[in-house]
Amino acid sequence: MNIEYKLNPTITPKEFIEVLKNSTLGERRPIDDIATIKGMIENSNLIVTALIDNKLIGIARAVTDFNYCCYLSDLAVDTKYQKKGIGKQLISKIQEQLNDKCKIILLSAPDAKEYYPKIGFTQHHSAWTLARDGKLI
């Protein structure tokens, strides 16, 4: 299996949606909202893809300042190719772009919460979210 990894490639919303669906991450992403998917791609400042025969089979998508924090907003690998080290390699390629003091931060999909400690992540006890339509009180 010859996997090609690319840094900040051009990908289409259709390709992104397909890998999200094939990884099960599509269940938690707005795959029916093309404008949002397009914005997710265009406004990420660090993307690494995994391809086999020019077919997108994995993606790591991040927003970062490259020095202090890197939010890994998507890590998706087609279920047919999972458990082969592709996700770990995608994260490693992201990490290679960061300053030595920069931390990767993520919110795990429910089915992946056992994966991250196995590859070296430490769980943080206080993560908080506020939806765009959430009210500050």
Side-chain angles (χ1 to χ4, degrees), residues 10-17 37 41 56:
T10 300
I11 62 168
T12 67
K14 182 180 175 185
E15 290 173 307
F16 186 35
I17 290 168
I37 291 290
I41 296 166
L56 184 65

Side-chain angles (χ1 to χ4, degrees), residues 45-116:
N45 56 350
L46 187 53
I47 293 177
V48 177
T49 57
L51 301 103
I52 294 178
D53 297 327
N54 291 318
K55 181 183 188 297
L56 184 65
I57 57 129
I59 187 168
R61 186 179 70 83
V63 178
T64 185
D65 60 23
F66 296 95
N67 289 277
Y68 181 72
C69 63
C70 174
Y71 174 61
L72 183 59
S73 47
D74 292 309
L75 178 64
V77 177
D78 185 317
T79 55
K80 289 184 260 180
Y81 300 97
Q82 289 180 4
K83 300 186 190 236
K84 298 182 185 313
I86 297 168
K88 190 174 175 181
Q89 188 66 23
L90 287 166
I91 295 169
S92 179
K93 298 282 186 192
I94 290 281
Q95 199 173 32
E96 288 172 9
Q97 303 305 308
L98 307 173
N99 176 292
D100 290 343
K101 296 177 181 157
C102 190
K103 286 185 182 178
I104 295 178
I105 302 161
L106 62 85
L107 297 174
S108 174
D111 291 344
K113 64 184 177 185
E114 303 299 322
Y115 170 71
Y116 293 104

Side-chain angles (χ1 to χ4, degrees), residues 17 20 25-37 40:
I17 290 168
L20 289 173
L25 198 55
E27 299 164 9
R28 288 168 297 286
R29 296 296 182 269
I31 58 174
D32 295 326
D33 184 345
I34 298 296
T36 298
I37 291 290
M40 289 165 68

